[in-house]
Amino acid sequence: MFWYIFVAIVATASAQTDETYRAIAYLRSETITGNVTFTETEDGVRVQGWIHGLDAGNYGFHVHELGDIGDCLATGAHYNPDDVTHGARDNEVRHVGDLGNVRFEGEGVEAVAIFDYVDSVIALRGRNSILGRSLVLHEREDDLGLTSHEDSLTTGNAGARVACGVIGILAPNGPWNSAARFVLTKSSLILILSNVLANRN
Ligand SMILES: *[C@@H]1O[C@H](CO)[C@@H](O)[C@H](O)[C@H]1NC(C)=O
Ligand SMILES: [Cu+2]
């Protein structure tokens, strides 16, 4: 009987959670325009972006801890719930928010950064969730914790913040809390009750 109840609950819950979870951030300043989407996949979060407005080169790119974009300084430090040192995106030891650099390519004002990768550390739900925090683009290259500069192991010495945007919900527009998504429907209730009755001695 419990097996049937379990199956009915799982079937009901999963029927409502098959939509892909996605978030979006827009980067805006006087000169910079960009958008970055974050999509849950089996291997992590897929990060896809397009940013325009800086010369060709590498620029530090991080998730900062707060969604306060009163100005980009108000976004606080890199999101770092494990309180570890700064590193590259593919380092074992890194801030959750360490997304390394974005690379702009092209001539002069035509330069754009276009990227598409999966990061296995950031998440859209749970402890490493970046939702409601912010995405920050810096004026310089992030040294990925590899130089002797005093800021290398905290900020990558990436300098000032040239654009920032809040990471917000793109989809689904319903509740994101799976516990709150479980609704006892009439059909699952009938299934449960019929199994209770069938197993009664
Ligand atoms: C992001 O920017 C690109 C380039 O302008 C555009 O094609 C795309 O539709 C934008 N995506 C969103 C979600 O705004
Ligand atoms: Cu940063």
Side-chain angles (χ1 to χ4, degrees):
M1 180 185 102
F2 289 107
W3 172 247
Y4 284 105
I5 292 176
F6 176 74
V7 169
I9 289 173
V10 169
T12 310
S14 62
Q16 302 191 9
T17 53
D18 52 10
E19 195 172 346
T20 302
Y21 288 78
R22 303 191 73 201
I24 187 159
Y26 290 95
L27 294 173
R28 291 276 184 278
S29 74
E30 270 175 35
T31 51
I32 294 164
T33 312
N35 62 51
V36 181
T37 60
F38 299 90
T39 305
E40 267 189 6
T41 75
E42 278 182 13
D43 306 317
V45 173
R46 183 172 179 188
V47 182
Q48 292 166 282
W50 177 94
I51 311 171
H52 176 257
L54 291 172
D55 292 336
N58 293 333
Y59 300 90
F61 187 63
H62 318 121
V63 175
H64 284 225
E65 56 196 354
L66 304 175
D68 182 350
I69 53 165
D71 63 36
C72 292
L73 271 182
T75 62
H78 297 176
Y79 182 46
N80 181 20
D82 302 313
D83 196 22
V84 294
T85 54
H86 175 70
R89 198 168 65 75
D90 58 1
N91 284 171
E92 192 96 6
V93 176
R94 57 168 261 195
H95 301 152
V96 167
D98 280 344
L99 296 181
N101 289 288
V102 286
R103 180 168 190 76
F104 281 68
E105 289 176 343
E107 289 296 314
V109 295
E110 302 283 292
V112 288
I114 297 170
F115 45 93
D116 184 351
Y117 56 80
V118 173
D119 186 80
S120 57
V121 175
I122 57 169
L124 298 188
R125 291 181 281 173
R127 176 178 168 79
N128 289 359
S129 175
I130 59 172
L131 207 64
R133 304 185 190 281
S134 55
L135 194 60
V136 177
L137 182 64
H138 288 266
E139 66 172 350
R140 281 201 299 269
E141 179 165 6
D142 182 328
D143 71 13
L144 309 175
L146 297 174
T147 72
S148 57
H149 190 279
E150 59 175 343
D151 295 333
S152 183
L153 286 171
T154 52
T155 66
N157 188 29
R161 305 165 182 196
V162 293
C164 53
V166 177
I167 301 164
I169 288 173
L170 182 59
N173 47 12
W176 276 44
N177 179 331
S178 57
R181 290 171 71 87
F182 173 68
V183 182
L184 198 59
T185 62
K186 202 163 71 181
S187 58
S188 65
L189 197 58
I190 289 169
L191 187 60
I192 290 169
L193 285 178
S194 63
N195 279 292
V196 169
L197 294 174
N199 284 282
R200 217 169 40 163
N201 286 322

